[in-house]
């Protein structure tokens, strides 16, 4: 009876999935050559498309993946960033500004590459961006808001005055693009103190967030 059922099923035009096939072979007391563990019966690996739209990935007229995603816009390039921030190699951690609302917020990106100088030590077998450097990169993006005339700042140094409620949600690894939004919450111009909210993303997923207290001006500020 089992062999008859299997013969009828195999002659059917319906598609047999690996799950169905495994279920039907279990009708035999001994799997023998039909066992999925046999090297001669190994199923081919599944190829998963990066696109969620199956028709787009299979259509001959589909846009190639290398042309499908637009580049980040450039509001400030690296030369303009260097004109504002005092940081230099190996501690300049902002590559581009992609959005700028004067006196309100700024969005900057850091392209995380295996050539970054911290990866040989953190860690050689698993290149993860240190959390403290993620916080530093976000602070530098915030500095681009603080040091602008719209906020009453000047192109001078700025320093950490405090960090609160920092949370790291996911690791950032070589090959990621860290997108950081810093929003000015409160500014005390008299004392040159700014409170900012920061959030960092990779591929639209939150990886780090926190509140930053930063001070402008005097080098005696720690």
């Amino acid at each position: 009876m089992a062999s008859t059922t299997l013969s009828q099923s195999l002659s059917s035009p319906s598609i047999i999935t690996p799950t169905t096939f495994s279920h039907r072979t279990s009708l035999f007391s001994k799997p023998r050559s039909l066992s999925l563990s046999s090297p001669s019966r190994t199923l081919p690996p599944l190829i998963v498309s990066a696109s969620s739209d199956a028709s787009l990935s299979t259509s001959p007229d589909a846009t190639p993946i290398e042309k499908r995603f637009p580049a980040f816009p450039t509001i400030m390039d690296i030369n303009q960033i260097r004109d504002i921030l005092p940081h230099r190699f190996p501690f300049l951690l902002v590559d581009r500004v992609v959005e700028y609302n004067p006196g309100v917020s700024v969005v900057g990106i850091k392209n995380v590459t295996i050539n970054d100088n911290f990866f040989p030590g953190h860690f050689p077998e698993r290149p993860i961006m240190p959390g403290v450097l993620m916080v530093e990169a976000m602070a530098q993006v915030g500095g681009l808001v603080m040091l602008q005339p719209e906020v009453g700042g000047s192109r001078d140094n700025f320093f950490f005055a405090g960090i609160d409620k920092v949370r790291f949600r996911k690791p950032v690894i070589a090959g990621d693009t860290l997108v950081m939004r810093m929003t000015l919450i409160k500014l005390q111009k008299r004392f040159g103190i700014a409170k900012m909210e920061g959030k960092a993303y990779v591929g639209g997923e939150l990886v780090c967030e926190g509140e930053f207290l930063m001070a402008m001006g005097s080098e005696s500020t720690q």
Side-chain angles (χ1 to χ4, degrees), residues 60-100:
D61 298 327
T63 303
I65 191 169
E66 65 272 18
K67 298 181 180 180
R68 201 176 300 166
F69 302 102
F72 284 104
T74 301
I75 304 302
M76 294 184 195
D77 62 21
I78 189 60
N79 292 318
Q80 292 169 303
I81 292 171
R82 285 164 55 90
D83 285 341
I84 300 171
L85 295 181
H87 306 76
R88 293 295 181 266
F89 176 86
F91 228 68
L92 180 55
L93 301 175
V94 186
D95 294 321
R96 183 186 301 182
V97 170
V98 299
E99 181 183 282
Y100 177 59

Side-chain angles (χ1 to χ4, degrees), residues 71-77 81 94-109 141-142 144-145 148 179-183 201:
F72 284 104
T74 301
I75 304 302
M76 294 184 195
D77 62 21
I81 292 171
V94 186
D95 294 321
R96 183 186 301 182
V97 170
V98 299
E99 181 183 282
Y100 177 59
N101 296 312
V104 179
S105 66
V106 63
V107 179
I109 64 172
V141 173
L144 293 170
V145 174
Q148 296 299 320
V179 183
M180 302 161 284
R181 175 179 290 276
M182 296 294 291
T183 304
Y201 303 83

